[in-house]
Coordinates of all heavy atoms in Angstrom, one line a residue:
A1 N -25.3 -20.0 7.9 CA -24.7 -19.5 6.8 C -23.2 -20.1 6.6 O -22.6 -20.4 7.6 CB -24.7 -18.0 6.7
R2 N -22.7 -20.1 5.5 CA -21.4 -20.6 5.2 C -20.4 -19.6 4.9 O -20.6 -18.8 4.0 CB -21.4 -21.8 4.2 CG -20.2 -22.6 3.9 CD -20.5 -23.7 2.7 NE -19.3 -24.4 2.4 CZ -19.1 -24.9 1.3 NH1 -20.0 -24.9 0.4 NH2 -18.0 -25.6 1.1
I3 N -19.2 -19.6 5.4 CA -18.1 -18.6 5.3 C -17.0 -19.4 4.7 O -16.4 -20.4 5.4 CB -17.7 -17.9 6.5 CG1 -18.9 -17.3 7.3 CG2 -16.7 -16.9 6.2 CD1 -19.7 -16.3 6.4
V4 N -16.5 -19.1 3.5 CA -15.5 -19.8 2.8 C -14.4 -18.9 2.4 O -14.6 -17.9 1.6 CB -16.0 -20.5 1.4 CG1 -14.8 -21.3 0.8 CG2 -17.2 -21.4 1.8
L5 N -13.1 -19.3 2.9 CA -11.9 -18.5 2.5 C -11.0 -19.3 1.7 O -10.6 -20.5 2.1 CB -11.2 -18.0 3.7 CG -9.8 -17.3 3.6 CD1 -9.9 -16.0 2.9 CD2 -9.2 -17.1 5.0
L6 N -10.8 -18.8 0.5 CA -9.9 -19.5 -0.5 C -8.5 -18.9 -0.4 O -8.4 -17.6 -0.6 CB -10.4 -19.3 -1.8 CG -11.9 -19.7 -2.1 CD1 -12.3 -19.4 -3.5 CD2 -12.2 -21.2 -1.6
Y7 N -7.5 -19.7 -0.1 CA -6.2 -19.2 0.2 C -5.1 -19.7 -0.7 O -5.0 -21.1 -0.8 CB -5.7 -19.4 1.6 CG -4.4 -18.9 2.0 CD1 -4.0 -17.6 1.9 CD2 -3.4 -19.9 2.5 CE1 -2.7 -17.2 2.1 CE2 -2.1 -19.4 2.7 CZ -1.8 -18.1 2.5 OH -0.5 -17.6 2.8
G8 N -4.4 -19.0 -1.4 CA -3.3 -19.5 -2.3 C -2.0 -18.9 -1.8 O -2.0 -17.8 -1.2
P9 N -0.9 -19.6 -2.0 CA 0.4 -19.0 -1.7 C 0.8 -17.7 -2.0 O 1.5 -17.1 -1.3 CB 1.4 -20.1 -2.4 CG 0.6 -21.3 -2.6 CD -0.8 -20.8 -2.9
G10 N 0.2 -17.2 -3.2 CA 0.6 -15.9 -3.6 C -0.3 -14.7 -3.1 O 0.0 -13.5 -3.3
D11 N -1.4 -15.2 -2.3 CA -2.3 -14.2 -1.9 C -1.8 -13.0 -0.9 O -2.1 -11.9 -1.0 CB -3.4 -14.7 -1.1 CG -4.4 -15.6 -2.1 OD1 -4.1 -15.6 -3.3 OD2 -5.3 -16.2 -1.7
R12 N -0.8 -13.5 -0.3 CA -0.1 -12.6 0.8 C 0.5 -11.4 0.0 O 0.5 -10.2 0.6 CB 0.9 -13.4 1.6 CG 1.7 -12.5 2.6 CD 2.6 -13.4 3.3 NE 3.2 -12.6 4.4 CZ 3.5 -12.9 5.5 NH1 3.2 -14.2 5.9 NH2 4.0 -12.2 6.6
K13 N 1.0 -11.6 -1.1 CA 1.8 -10.5 -1.9 C 0.8 -9.4 -2.2 O 1.2 -8.2 -2.2 CB 2.4 -11.0 -3.1 CG 3.5 -12.1 -2.9 CD 4.1 -12.6 -4.1 CE 5.3 -13.6 -3.8 NZ 5.9 -14.1 -5.0
T14 N -0.4 -9.7 -2.5 CA -1.4 -8.7 -2.8 C -1.6 -7.6 -1.7 O -1.6 -6.4 -1.8 CB -2.7 -9.3 -3.2 OG1 -2.5 -10.0 -4.4 CG2 -3.7 -8.1 -3.5
Q15 N -1.7 -8.2 -0.5 CA -1.9 -7.4 0.8 C -0.7 -6.7 1.1 O -0.8 -5.6 1.6 CB -2.4 -8.3 1.9 CG -3.8 -8.9 1.7 CD -4.9 -7.8 1.5 OE1 -4.7 -6.7 2.0 NE2 -6.0 -8.2 0.9
E16 N 0.5 -7.4 0.9 CA 1.8 -6.6 1.2 C 1.9 -5.4 0.2 O 2.4 -4.4 0.7 CB 3.0 -7.6 1.0 CG 3.1 -8.6 2.1 CD 4.2 -9.5 1.9 OE1 4.5 -9.7 0.7 OE2 4.6 -10.2 2.8
F17 N 1.5 -5.6 -1.0 CA 1.5 -4.5 -2.0 C 0.6 -3.2 -1.3 O 0.9 -2.1 -1.4 CB 1.0 -4.8 -3.3 CG 0.8 -3.7 -4.3 CD1 2.0 -3.2 -4.9 CD2 -0.4 -3.3 -4.6 CE1 1.7 -2.1 -5.8 CE2 -0.6 -2.3 -5.5 CZ 0.5 -1.7 -6.1
F18 N -0.5 -3.6 -0.9 CA -1.5 -2.6 -0.4 C -0.9 -1.9 0.8 O -0.9 -0.7 0.9 CB -2.9 -3.2 0.0 CG -3.6 -3.8 -1.1 CD1 -4.6 -4.7 -0.9 CD2 -3.6 -3.1 -2.3 CE1 -5.4 -5.1 -1.9 CE2 -4.4 -3.5 -3.3 CZ -5.4 -4.4 -3.1
I19 N -0.2 -2.6 1.7 CA 0.5 -2.0 2.8 C 1.6 -1.1 2.3 O 1.8 0.2 2.8 CB 1.1 -3.1 3.8 CG1 -0.1 -3.9 4.4 CG2 2.1 -2.5 4.9 CD1 0.5 -5.1 5.2
Q20 N 2.4 -1.5 1.4 CA 3.4 -0.6 0.9 C 2.9 0.7 0.2 O 3.4 1.8 0.5 CB 4.2 -1.4 -0.2 CG 5.2 -2.6 0.4 CD 5.6 -3.5 -0.6 OE1 5.4 -3.3 -1.7 NE2 6.0 -4.6 -0.1
M21 N 1.8 0.5 -0.5 CA 1.1 1.7 -1.1 C 0.5 2.6 -0.1 O 0.5 3.8 -0.2 CB 0.1 1.3 -2.1 CG 0.6 0.6 -3.4 SD 1.5 1.8 -4.5 CE 3.2 1.4 -4.1
S22 N -0.1 2.1 1.0 CA -0.6 2.9 2.1 C 0.3 3.6 2.9 O 0.0 4.5 3.7 CB -1.5 2.0 2.9 OG -2.5 1.4 2.1
H23 N 1.7 3.1 2.9 CA 2.7 3.7 3.7 C 3.9 4.1 2.8 O 4.9 3.5 2.9 CB 3.1 2.8 4.9 CG 2.0 2.4 5.8 ND1 1.0 1.4 5.4 CD2 1.6 2.8 7.0 CE1 0.2 1.4 6.3 NE2 0.6 2.0 7.3
P24 N 3.7 5.2 2.0 CA 4.7 5.5 1.0 C 6.0 6.0 1.7 O 6.1 6.3 2.9 CB 4.1 6.6 0.2 CG 3.1 7.3 1.2 CD 2.5 6.1 2.0
P25 N 7.1 6.0 0.9 CA 8.5 6.7 1.4 C 8.3 8.0 1.9 O 7.6 8.8 1.3 CB 9.4 6.4 0.2 CG 8.8 5.4 -0.6 CD 7.2 5.5 -0.5
V26 N 9.0 8.3 2.9 CA 9.0 9.6 3.6 C 9.4 10.7 2.5 O 8.8 11.8 2.5 CB 9.7 9.7 4.9 CG1 9.8 11.1 5.3 CG2 9.1 8.9 5.9
D27 N 10.4 10.4 1.7 CA 10.9 11.4 0.7 C 9.7 11.7 -0.2 O 9.6 12.8 -0.8 CB 12.2 10.9 0.1 CG 12.1 9.7 -0.7 OD1 11.2 8.8 -0.4 OD2 13.0 9.5 -1.6
L28 N 8.9 10.7 -0.6 CA 7.7 11.0 -1.6 C 6.8 11.8 -0.9 O 6.2 12.7 -1.6 CB 7.2 9.6 -1.9 CG 5.9 9.7 -2.8 CD1 6.2 10.5 -4.1 CD2 5.4 8.4 -3.2
I29 N 6.6 11.6 0.4 CA 5.6 12.5 1.0 C 6.0 14.0 1.0 O 5.2 14.9 0.8 CB 5.3 12.0 2.5 CG1 4.8 10.6 2.5 CG2 4.4 13.0 3.3 CD1 4.8 10.0 4.0
H30 N 7.3 14.2 1.3 CA 7.9 15.6 1.3 C 7.7 16.1 -0.1 O 7.4 17.3 -0.3 CB 9.3 15.5 1.7 CG 9.5 15.6 3.2 ND1 9.6 16.7 4.0 CD2 9.7 14.5 4.1 CE1 9.7 16.4 5.2 NE2 9.7 15.0 5.3
Q31 N 8.1 15.3 -1.1 CA 8.1 15.8 -2.5 C 6.6 16.2 -2.9 O 6.4 17.3 -3.7 CB 8.6 14.8 -3.5 CG 10.1 14.7 -3.4 CD 10.7 13.8 -4.5 OE1 10.1 13.9 -5.6 NE2 11.7 13.1 -4.2
V32 N 5.7 15.4 -2.5 CA 4.2 15.7 -2.9 C 3.7 16.9 -2.3 O 3.2 17.9 -2.9 CB 3.3 14.5 -2.4 CG1 1.9 14.9 -2.5 CG2 3.6 13.2 -3.3
Y33 N 4.2 17.1 -1.0 CA 3.8 18.3 -0.2 C 4.5 19.6 -1.0 O 3.8 20.7 -1.0 CB 4.1 18.3 1.2 CG 3.6 19.4 2.0 CD1 2.3 19.5 2.4 CD2 4.6 20.4 2.4 CE1 1.8 20.6 3.0 CE2 4.1 21.5 3.2 CZ 2.7 21.6 3.5 OH 2.3 22.7 4.2
Q34 N 5.7 19.4 -1.2 CA 6.5 20.5 -1.8 C 5.8 20.9 -3.1 O 5.6 22.1 -3.5 CB 7.9 20.2 -1.9 CG 8.8 21.4 -2.5 CD 10.1 21.0 -2.7 OE1 10.6 20.0 -2.2 NE2 11.0 21.8 -3.4
H35 N 5.4 20.0 -3.9 CA 4.9 20.1 -5.3 C 3.6 20.9 -5.1 O 3.3 21.9 -5.9 CB 4.7 18.8 -6.0 CG 4.1 19.0 -7.3 ND1 4.6 19.6 -8.5 CD2 2.8 18.6 -7.7 CE1 3.7 19.6 -9.4 NE2 2.7 19.0 -9.0
I36 N 2.8 20.5 -4.2 CA 1.3 21.1 -4.1 C 1.6 22.6 -3.6 O 0.9 23.5 -4.1 CB 0.6 20.3 -3.0 CG1 0.2 18.9 -3.6 CG2 -0.8 21.1 -2.7 CD1 -0.5 18.0 -2.5
N37 N 2.6 22.8 -2.7 CA 2.8 24.1 -2.2 C 3.3 25.0 -3.4 O 2.9 26.3 -3.3 CB 4.0 24.1 -1.1 CG 3.4 24.4 0.2 OD1 2.6 25.5 0.4 ND2 3.6 23.6 1.2
E38 N 4.1 24.5 -4.2 CA 4.7 25.4 -5.3 C 3.8 25.6 -6.4 O 4.1 26.5 -7.2 CB 6.0 24.6 -5.8 CG 7.1 24.5 -4.8 CD 8.3 23.8 -5.3 OE1 8.2 23.1 -6.3 OE2 9.4 23.8 -4.7

C-alpha cells in the first residue's frame, strides 16, 4: 500500500491554530467557569 503526504509551506499554520484553540488563555478559562457558575 502507498502512503502519500502532501506538504505545503502554509500547512503548519493550520496545526498551530488547532494548538492555540486547544490551549486557550487562562483568563478565558476563568471567565467561562465564572459564567457557568453564575
Side-chain angles (χ1 to χ4, degrees):
R2 187 180 174 200
I3 307 301
V4 180
L5 174 59
L6 309 178
Y7 177 61
D11 288 2
R12 180 187 188 131
K13 293 181 180 178
T14 300
Q15 293 300 334
E16 288 177 340
F17 172 77
F18 288 154
I19 293 172
Q20 292 163 9
M21 286 295 99
S22 298
H23 300 79
V26 172
D27 60 334
L28 175 58
I29 299 171
H30 278 272
Q31 287 188 33
V32 168
Y33 184 75
Q34 182 179 350
H35 174 65
I36 293 174
N37 248 313
E38 291 175 350

